[in-house]
Amino acid sequence: MDSSTFLLLAVAVLGMLWQAQGLGTVSGLYGETVVVPCNEGAPPPEGLMFIKWKYERDDGTSGDLLVKQAHKQEATVQAESDYAERVAIAANSSLLISGASLADRRVFTCMMVSTSNLLEYPVTVEIYKRPSAPEIIDKAKMLDRGKAAVIGTCVGKDAHPAAELTWTRNGKPLIADGKAVVISSSVKMEPATRLSTTFSTLQYTATKQDADAAFACSAAHPLGAQVSAPEMFPIHYPTENLSLQVLSMGPIVEGENVTLKCQADGNPPPVSFNFHLKGVQVPVVGSNTYTLAAITRDAAGEYKCSLADNASIEDAHAIEVNYLDLSLSPTGKVLKKIGDKLNVTMEKNTSGHAKVSWTKDGKAAKAPAFERLTYADAGVYVCEVATGTLKRSLNFQLVVEGVPEITSLTKQRADSHKVLTCEALGVPEPSFQWSVNGTEVESSYANAKATHRIRVEPAANLTVTCSVSNKLGEDARTITVSSLIKEKTQEKGKGPGIPTRRRSARLRRARSWKRPPTTTATLR
C-alpha cells in the first residue's frame, strides 16, 4: 500500500473523530512572507501521523497546499495554483506564504491527523499595505484673495485598506463648509493588485492672512499616518495702503543723500509710483524708491508718494534737515605783540540747540578774550560746536612776540669754577652772547622763557655782560665775578678768627651799607 492510499485510509478511518477548532486571524504585510500558525503554535498531539495545510478557494471549495508526514523532514506540495511556488512549512508546523498579495486574504486550515483524532485549525489571513507618502499634485500657482480656487489634489497611492486623507492649514485640519472650504474625495482600485488609491481635491477661498500659510495633506492608515510636504501659495490682492519711509540710519544731515521708499501692502507689489517732492510730481517706474542727492536745509518739508494708477492711495512724510554753520575770527596762525589787544569772534547758525566748547592746547578753556596779551596767552585755540549728531570745529594758533628782556643774571661758585646763569623772556627765541669765554653747561627754551648757563674759571676779577637778542630787539645786563685765585688765597690766610667785638662792628657796618643804583653785582 503506497503512502497516498495510506493517508486516505487514515482520514476515512478517523473521520468519525474529526474536530474543528475556532477561527483565528493572522495579519501580514503586502509583498512580505506571512506566517500562519497551526493551533497557535502549540505542540502536535501524541501519535501524530501527518499535518496537512489547505485553503478555501474563491468559489468556496477547498484546495490542498501541502502535506507533511510525521516521520519525514520534507513536506509534499500538492497545490496546483501559484501557491505551488510560494508555500512552505516551518519546523513548528506553521504555513509560510511568500510574496503576500491581497489574493491571499482567505481562510487557511491546518489539519493534524493522529492515531486517535483528526483536528482542524482554520485561520483567516488579512493583508495590509501602507500607502506611499501622500503627495499634492496639480498645485495652483497662485490664489486671488476672495476667489474660490482649487489648491491641488492630494494622492495616497496603493494602499489596503484605502487611506483616509485630511487637508491641513498650518498643521490644523480644514473642515469642509461648502463655501470657503470644499473637499472632494474618491477612491480608485487597481484591478490587478486590488490596491486602492485615494484622491482628495481642495477648493479654497484665500484671504490676505493665507500669504504665509502652509497647506499639507495627511494620510491616516492602520499601519501609521503620513504627511505630505507643506505647500505655500502666493496670495494676490490689490494695494489698499501705502507707507512712505525715509531710509536713514539717524537724523538727516545737510549734504547727505536721502532715499525715500514707497511701501505698498498689495501682492504682487506695484512697480510704478509718483513721488511728490514739495509740490513737484516725479514718476518712477520699476522701483519704489527715490533718492534726494545732497539734501539742503531748503529741502525740508512734506513729501508724498502715490500709486501711478490711483492717486487717491497715497502717504506723506515730513523731513527735517539738520545743519550747522560756524565761523571764527581770527583763524590760522596769528602773530601779535606782547601787550596788544586781540578780539576773538565766533558765530554759529544751527537747526537746533547747540553746545559750544573751547580748548587751549588740548585742555578745556574759557572763551578767549585778550585785552592785553602776555606770553602765557600763546597756544592753539579750538572752538567746537555740536548739535545732535553734527559737530563743527575751527581753530587759530596765537603767537605772542616780544623784545627779549633779561629777568635774571646770577652766579654760583663750585669747587674749581663758577657757573653764570642768564634768564630772559622773549619770542622768537632769543640768542645769548657773553662778554667772556666760558664752557656752555645748559641751554633751554620753553613758554617764552630762555635759560643759558656757562662755566668760567676767572683768574682775576671780571665784569661779565650777558646779551640777548631776537629780530625785535635786544637787552643786556652785567655782573662782577671775583677771581678764584684771590678767593682761595684769602681763605688760606685767615687766622683762627676775628675777635667777637670786631666781628660785631663789621656786621653793623655791613647791615647799614646801601648798594648804589647800578646793575653790577660783586661776589666776595
mmCIF file of all heavy atoms in Angstrom, residues 360-381:
data_model
loop_
_atom_site.group_PDB
_atom_site.id
_atom_site.type_symbol
_atom_site.label_atom_id
_atom_site.label_comp_id
_atom_site.label_asym_id
_atom_site.label_seq_id
_atom_site.Cartn_x
_atom_site.Cartn_y
_atom_site.Cartn_z
ATOM 1 N N LYS A 360 42.319 124.914 24.849
ATOM 2 C CA LYS A 360 43.604 125.534 24.550
ATOM 3 C C LYS A 360 44.671 124.469 24.726
ATOM 4 O O LYS A 360 44.802 123.893 25.803
ATOM 5 C CB LYS A 360 43.875 126.716 25.488
ATOM 6 C CG LYS A 360 45.262 127.340 25.252
ATOM 7 C CD LYS A 360 45.633 128.325 26.332
ATOM 8 C CE LYS A 360 47.052 128.854 26.114
ATOM 9 N NZ LYS A 360 47.522 129.704 27.221
ATOM 10 N N ASP A 361 45.374 124.213 23.638
ATOM 11 C CA ASP A 361 46.419 123.179 23.640
ATOM 12 C C ASP A 361 45.874 121.849 24.158
ATOM 13 O O ASP A 361 46.526 121.124 24.919
ATOM 14 C CB ASP A 361 47.615 123.625 24.488
ATOM 15 C CG ASP A 361 48.319 124.842 23.900
ATOM 16 O OD1 ASP A 361 48.258 125.003 22.666
ATOM 17 O OD2 ASP A 361 48.897 125.626 24.671
ATOM 18 N N GLY A 362 44.627 121.525 23.762
ATOM 19 C CA GLY A 362 44.026 120.239 24.099
ATOM 20 C C GLY A 362 43.337 120.182 25.440
ATOM 21 O O GLY A 362 42.750 119.148 25.785
ATOM 22 N N LYS A 363 43.347 121.242 26.222
ATOM 23 C CA LYS A 363 42.713 121.255 27.535
ATOM 24 C C LYS A 363 41.542 122.234 27.526
ATOM 25 O O LYS A 363 41.580 123.261 26.849
ATOM 26 C CB LYS A 363 43.724 121.630 28.624
ATOM 27 C CG LYS A 363 44.875 120.642 28.762
ATOM 28 C CD LYS A 363 45.825 121.056 29.867
ATOM 29 C CE LYS A 363 46.969 120.059 30.018
ATOM 30 N NZ LYS A 363 47.904 120.443 31.095
ATOM 31 N N ALA A 364 40.495 121.880 28.309
ATOM 32 C CA ALA A 364 39.301 122.721 28.365
ATOM 33 C C ALA A 364 39.672 124.137 28.805
ATOM 34 O O ALA A 364 40.514 124.340 29.691
ATOM 35 C CB ALA A 364 38.278 122.117 29.306
ATOM 36 N N ALA A 365 39.030 125.107 28.179
ATOM 37 C CA ALA A 365 39.323 126.510 28.475
ATOM 38 C C ALA A 365 38.069 127.344 28.294
ATOM 39 O O ALA A 365 37.079 126.900 27.705
ATOM 40 C CB ALA A 365 40.457 127.024 27.571
ATOM 41 N N LYS A 366 38.109 128.569 28.816
ATOM 42 C CA LYS A 366 37.010 129.506 28.630
ATOM 43 C C LYS A 366 37.129 130.155 27.259
ATOM 44 O O LYS A 366 38.167 130.089 26.604
ATOM 45 C CB LYS A 366 37.037 130.576 29.721
ATOM 46 C CG LYS A 366 36.796 130.031 31.123
ATOM 47 C CD LYS A 366 36.803 131.167 32.144
ATOM 48 C CE LYS A 366 36.543 130.645 33.554
ATOM 49 N NZ LYS A 366 36.554 131.739 34.560
ATOM 50 N N ALA A 367 36.045 130.781 26.834
ATOM 51 C CA ALA A 367 36.086 131.521 25.566
ATOM 52 C C ALA A 367 37.155 132.613 25.677
ATOM 53 O O ALA A 367 37.161 133.391 26.641
ATOM 54 C CB ALA A 367 34.723 132.129 25.273
ATOM 55 N N PRO A 368 38.075 132.677 24.739
ATOM 56 C CA PRO A 368 39.205 133.602 24.869
ATOM 57 C C PRO A 368 38.789 135.065 24.701
ATOM 58 O O PRO A 368 37.955 135.402 23.854
ATOM 59 C CB PRO A 368 40.152 133.161 23.746
ATOM 60 C CG PRO A 368 39.269 132.514 22.738
ATOM 61 C CD PRO A 368 38.169 131.858 23.509
ATOM 62 N N ALA A 369 39.379 135.918 25.560
ATOM 63 C CA ALA A 369 39.208 137.374 25.458
ATOM 64 C C ALA A 369 40.541 137.991 25.867
ATOM 65 O O ALA A 369 41.027 137.767 26.977
ATOM 66 C CB ALA A 369 38.079 137.846 26.356
ATOM 67 N N PHE A 370 41.157 138.777 24.974
ATOM 68 C CA PHE A 370 42.516 139.279 25.203
ATOM 69 C C PHE A 370 42.509 140.808 25.191
ATOM 70 O O PHE A 370 42.422 141.440 24.121
ATOM 71 C CB PHE A 370 43.466 138.759 24.115
ATOM 72 C CG PHE A 370 43.445 137.268 23.955
ATOM 73 C CD1 PHE A 370 42.883 136.685 22.826
ATOM 74 C CD2 PHE A 370 43.975 136.441 24.928
ATOM 75 C CE1 PHE A 370 42.867 135.316 22.669
ATOM 76 C CE2 PHE A 370 43.958 135.061 24.781
ATOM 77 C CZ PHE A 370 43.395 134.490 23.656
ATOM 78 N N GLU A 371 42.578 141.400 26.373
ATOM 79 C CA GLU A 371 42.691 142.863 26.471
ATOM 80 C C GLU A 371 44.151 143.299 26.388
ATOM 81 O O GLU A 371 44.473 144.339 25.819
ATOM 82 C CB GLU A 371 42.075 143.347 27.791
ATOM 83 C CG GLU A 371 40.563 143.163 27.873
ATOM 84 C CD GLU A 371 39.846 144.020 26.834
ATOM 85 O OE1 GLU A 371 40.333 145.132 26.513
ATOM 86 O OE2 GLU A 371 38.792 143.575 26.331
ATOM 87 N N ARG A 372 45.043 142.527 26.986
ATOM 88 C CA ARG A 372 46.474 142.824 26.958
ATOM 89 C C ARG A 372 47.212 141.491 26.919
ATOM 90 O O ARG A 372 47.246 140.757 27.911
ATOM 91 C CB ARG A 372 46.883 143.648 28.186
ATOM 92 C CG ARG A 372 48.340 144.094 28.192
ATOM 93 C CD ARG A 372 48.627 144.960 29.401
ATOM 94 N NE ARG A 372 50.025 145.326 29.434
ATOM 95 C CZ ARG A 372 50.571 146.342 28.745
ATOM 96 N NH1 ARG A 372 49.783 147.063 27.955
ATOM 97 N NH2 ARG A 372 51.857 146.618 28.836
ATOM 98 N N LEU A 373 47.765 141.151 25.781
ATOM 99 C CA LEU A 373 48.370 139.850 25.573
ATOM 100 C C LEU A 373 49.649 139.669 26.387
ATOM 101 O O LEU A 373 50.451 140.610 26.533
ATOM 102 C CB LEU A 373 48.686 139.636 24.092
ATOM 103 C CG LEU A 373 47.475 139.428 23.171
ATOM 104 C CD1 LEU A 373 47.906 139.465 21.713
ATOM 105 C CD2 LEU A 373 46.783 138.104 23.493
ATOM 106 N N THR A 374 49.785 138.435 26.891
ATOM 107 C CA THR A 374 51.014 138.019 27.553
ATOM 108 C C THR A 374 51.545 136.786 26.833
ATOM 109 O O THR A 374 50.862 136.159 26.023
ATOM 110 C CB THR A 374 50.759 137.690 29.039
ATOM 111 O OG1 THR A 374 49.908 136.533 29.106
ATOM 112 C CG2 THR A 374 50.081 138.857 29.754
ATOM 113 N N TYR A 375 52.796 136.463 27.204
ATOM 114 C CA TYR A 375 53.357 135.248 26.598
ATOM 115 C C TYR A 375 52.526 134.016 26.966
ATOM 116 O O TYR A 375 52.437 133.059 26.188
ATOM 117 C CB TYR A 375 54.802 135.051 27.070
ATOM 118 C CG TYR A 375 55.773 136.062 26.504
ATOM 119 C CD1 TYR A 375 56.589 136.817 27.353
ATOM 120 C CD2 TYR A 375 55.880 136.249 25.128
ATOM 121 C CE1 TYR A 375 57.488 137.738 26.846
ATOM 122 C CE2 TYR A 375 56.780 137.177 24.620
ATOM 123 C CZ TYR A 375 57.575 137.926 25.473
ATOM 124 O OH TYR A 375 58.448 138.825 24.966
ATOM 125 N N ALA A 376 51.906 134.003 28.130
ATOM 126 C CA ALA A 376 51.118 132.840 28.575
ATOM 127 C C ALA A 376 49.859 132.644 27.736
ATOM 128 O O ALA A 376 49.249 131.572 27.758
ATOM 129 C CB ALA A 376 50.742 132.998 30.041
ATOM 130 N N ASP A 377 49.455 133.679 27.004
ATOM 131 C CA ASP A 377 48.253 133.552 26.167
ATOM 132 C C ASP A 377 48.521 132.777 24.884
ATOM 133 O O ASP A 377 47.570 132.378 24.189
ATOM 134 C CB ASP A 377 47.709 134.942 25.805
ATOM 135 C CG ASP A 377 47.191 135.686 27.023
ATOM 136 O OD1 ASP A 377 46.647 134.998 27.909
ATOM 137 O OD2 ASP A 377 47.333 136.922 27.074
ATOM 138 N N ALA A 378 49.770 132.566 24.526
ATOM 139 C CA ALA A 378 50.086 131.862 23.279
ATOM 140 C C ALA A 378 49.612 130.414 23.352
ATOM 141 O O ALA A 378 49.606 129.795 24.401
ATOM 142 C CB ALA A 378 51.593 131.923 23.019
ATOM 143 N N GLY A 379 49.164 129.877 22.209
ATOM 144 C CA GLY A 379 48.731 128.480 22.137
ATOM 145 C C GLY A 379 47.773 128.256 20.986
ATOM 146 O O GLY A 379 47.465 129.176 20.207
ATOM 147 N N VAL A 380 47.297 127.013 20.889
ATOM 148 C CA VAL A 380 46.335 126.644 19.850
ATOM 149 C C VAL A 380 44.945 126.600 20.479
ATOM 150 O O VAL A 380 44.700 125.820 21.408
ATOM 151 C CB VAL A 380 46.681 125.281 19.219
ATOM 152 C CG1 VAL A 380 45.607 124.879 18.194
ATOM 153 C CG2 VAL A 380 48.049 125.331 18.549
ATOM 154 N N TYR A 381 44.040 127.428 19.981
ATOM 155 C CA TYR A 381 42.680 127.523 20.489
ATOM 156 C C TYR A 381 41.723 126.845 19.506
ATOM 157 O O TYR A 381 41.788 127.112 18.298
ATOM 158 C CB TYR A 381 42.267 128.978 20.691
ATOM 159 C CG TYR A 381 43.026 129.679 21.806
ATOM 160 C CD1 TYR A 381 44.294 130.227 21.581
ATOM 161 C CD2 TYR A 381 42.476 129.778 23.074
ATOM 162 C CE1 TYR A 381 44.995 130.856 22.609
ATOM 163 C CE2 TYR A 381 43.173 130.418 24.105
ATOM 164 C CZ TYR A 381 44.428 130.950 23.859
ATOM 165 O OH TYR A 381 45.113 131.566 24.873
#
